[in-house]
């Protein structure tokens, strides 16, 4: 049995920033896996993904680095275009191709204590898939994909279909300041956290960009600082890097505050360059100091 299993599509990404345009792989599963792979092997990890032929080389690259990857076939890989302005908290997206959703049958062979569902688009994970996995372990969800409706190539914020049904199965949820407003019509992270807890979520993690993050669990709030980066290069994958750090530390038995600070420090280091997290646990500890 693995400690953490991340399930999600590896994407093809075109990342446009004021300084550069970069083509690379991406998606929650990509950033989460590389982040986990840079940390000590005290937490066992597996990636379950689903890609088209155009992404098989990336899967092999990950395996060569020692990442445990179970890969299912899709007609195409997800192709995202992410465009950032000077304010990295804001981005516009286009979806140039979609991958096939995950199925219950594909989930039957995996075994983990925590399943982190890295949704990228609203139909990646049906309620049936989430319900099935919840019988096998804890469910951690990044809500971003559930709130993305694709019209043509453009991505629009939308309410979460089957929200109540899925949240009943969810133990840990991560969302940002934009997503929380879509879900609850509130701009107050504390109000949002309490609402989600009332719907059954045990740990609510809300990232607030450069303002830090808030964790709500067991009836208490934990304010997590944002550590200032030396330079801001690319925010793509920061939320997924946060999830990697948070779930890693929680799997080791860390308290909510320490897990949040560790995750925030990983985000700061990730923000300083394009691509996935590539530093060490010593670098993370130096940031927290």
């Amino acid at each position: 049995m693995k400690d953490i299993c991340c399930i999600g599509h590896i994407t093809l990404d075109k990342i446009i920033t004021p300084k550069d345009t970069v083509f690379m792989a991406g998606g929650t599963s990509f950033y989460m896996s590389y982040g986990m792979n840079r940390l000590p092997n005290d937490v066992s990890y597996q990636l379950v993904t689903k890609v088209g032929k155009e992404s098989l080389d990336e899967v092999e690259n990950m395996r060569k680095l020692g990442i445990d990857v179970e890969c299912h076939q899709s007609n195409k890989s997800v192709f995202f275009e992410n465009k950032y302005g000077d304010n990295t908290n804001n981005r516009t997206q286009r979806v140039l191709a979609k991958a096939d959703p995950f199925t219950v049958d594909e989930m039957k062979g995996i075994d983990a204590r925590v399943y982190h569902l890295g949704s990228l688009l609203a139909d990646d994970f049906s309620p049936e898939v989430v319900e099935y996995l919840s019988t096998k372990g804890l469910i951690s969800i990044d809500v971003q994909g559930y709130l993305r409706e694709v019209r043509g190539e453009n991505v629009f914020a939308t309410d979460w279909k089957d929200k109540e049904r899925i949240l009943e199965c969810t133990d840990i949820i991560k969302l940002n300041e934009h997503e929380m407003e879509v879900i609850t019509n509130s701009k107050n992270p504390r109000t949002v956290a309490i609402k989600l807890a009332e719907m059954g979520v045990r740990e609510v993690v809300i990232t607030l960009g450069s303002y830090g993050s808030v964790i709500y669990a067991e009836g208490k709030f934990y304010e997590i600082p944002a550590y200032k980066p030396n330079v801001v290069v690319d925010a793509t994958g920061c939320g997924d890097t946060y999830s990697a750090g948070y779930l890693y530390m929680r799997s080791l038995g860390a308290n909510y505050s320490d897990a949040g600070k560790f995750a925030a420090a990983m985000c700061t280091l990730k923000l300083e360059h394009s691509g996935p997290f590539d530093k060490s646990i010593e670098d993370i500890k130096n940031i927290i100091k």
Side-chain angles (χ1 to χ4, degrees):
M1 176 181 284
K2 299 293 185 180
D3 292 312
I4 300 171
C5 176
C6 177
I7 308 169
H9 298 104
I10 298 172
T11 69
L12 302 172
D13 281 357
K14 179 181 181 181
I15 302 169
I16 304 169
T17 68
K19 296 181 180 179
D20 204 0
T21 297
V22 178
F23 291 88
M24 60 177 294
T28 292
S29 62
F30 175 83
Y31 288 101
M32 179 100 172
S33 298
Y34 275 90
M36 291 290 298
N37 201 48
R38 297 293 301 184
L39 301 174
N41 295 324
D42 300 325
V43 174
S44 56
Y45 175 81
Q46 181 183 39
L47 167 63
V48 176
T49 192
K50 192 168 186 174
V51 301
K53 293 179 180 179
E54 60 271 32
S55 297
L56 291 177
D57 286 347
E58 186 58 48
V59 171
E60 287 308 309
N61 289 339
M62 297 173 84
R63 287 173 173 159
K64 288 176 183 177
L65 290 172
I67 299 170
D68 182 352
V69 185
E70 178 179 312
C71 184
H72 297 278
Q73 185 175 346
S74 172
N75 286 325
K76 294 181 180 179
S77 294
V78 183
F79 187 5
F80 271 119
E81 179 188 83
N82 296 319
K83 187 173 183 179
Y84 294 91
D86 292 325
N87 181 354
T88 58
N89 291 334
N90 297 318
R91 72 177 172 187
T92 57
Q93 285 187 317
R94 291 197 302 157
V95 176
L96 308 182
K98 290 179 63 176
D100 301 328
F102 291 91
T103 67
V104 171
D105 283 343
E106 291 164 348
M107 303 296 103
K108 290 182 177 177
I110 59 178
D111 192 16
R113 292 182 176 86
V114 178
Y115 298 96
H116 181 68
L117 308 186
S119 62
L120 298 176
L121 297 171
D123 59 354
D124 286 351
F125 299 101
S126 67
E128 290 78 15
V129 167
V130 181
E131 289 168 346
Y132 173 73
L133 288 171
S134 73
T135 68
K136 294 159 63 80
L138 301 179
I139 299 295
S140 169
I141 286 183
D142 186 320
V143 307
Q144 58 179 335
Y146 282 109
L147 307 181
R148 288 179 180 148
E149 180 182 7
V150 180
R151 302 176 207 156
E153 294 182 344
N154 295 317
V155 180
F156 298 88
T158 185
D159 198 7
W160 186 349
K161 185 182 177 183
D162 300 311
K163 176 171 57 181
E164 290 81 5
R165 185 176 170 186
I166 291 172
L167 287 176
E168 284 180 358
C169 304
T170 304
D171 299 279
I172 305 165
I173 196 167
K174 190 198 78 65
L175 62 165
N176 64 27
E177 66 269 38
H178 306 296
E179 293 156 356
M180 71 178 189
E181 188 176 352
V182 174
I183 290 176
T184 65
N185 295 317
S186 174
K187 294 183 179 181
N188 186 323
R190 289 183 172 240
T191 301
V192 172
I194 291 171
K195 283 186 178 180
L196 291 172
E198 289 173 347
M199 298 174 79
V201 183
R202 289 164 44 182
E203 299 176 38
V204 180
V205 180
I206 302 176
T207 57
L208 303 169
S210 56
Y211 299 104
S213 52
V214 174
I215 298 167
Y216 182 65
E218 298 182 57
K220 291 181 63 177
F221 284 98
Y222 301 85
E223 302 280 349
I224 309 300
Y227 302 102
K228 189 173 182 180
N230 292 319
V231 61
V232 175
V233 175
D234 184 5
T236 305
C238 277
D240 305 316
T241 303
Y242 189 110
S243 291
Y246 183 79
L247 293 177
Y248 176 86
M249 290 297 286
R250 291 291 289 141
S251 293
L252 290 177
N255 62 39
Y256 306 112
S257 180
D258 288 346
K261 290 175 181 176
F262 186 92
M266 282 187 71
C267 282
T268 293
L269 293 165
K270 157 65 200 88
L271 194 59
E272 295 176 350
H273 71 99
S274 288
F277 179 83
D278 65 351
K279 301 298 182 182
S280 69
I281 194 165
E282 288 78 19
D283 296 319
I284 297 168
K285 290 177 178 177
N286 287 335
I287 294 286
I288 297 172
K289 289 177 182 177

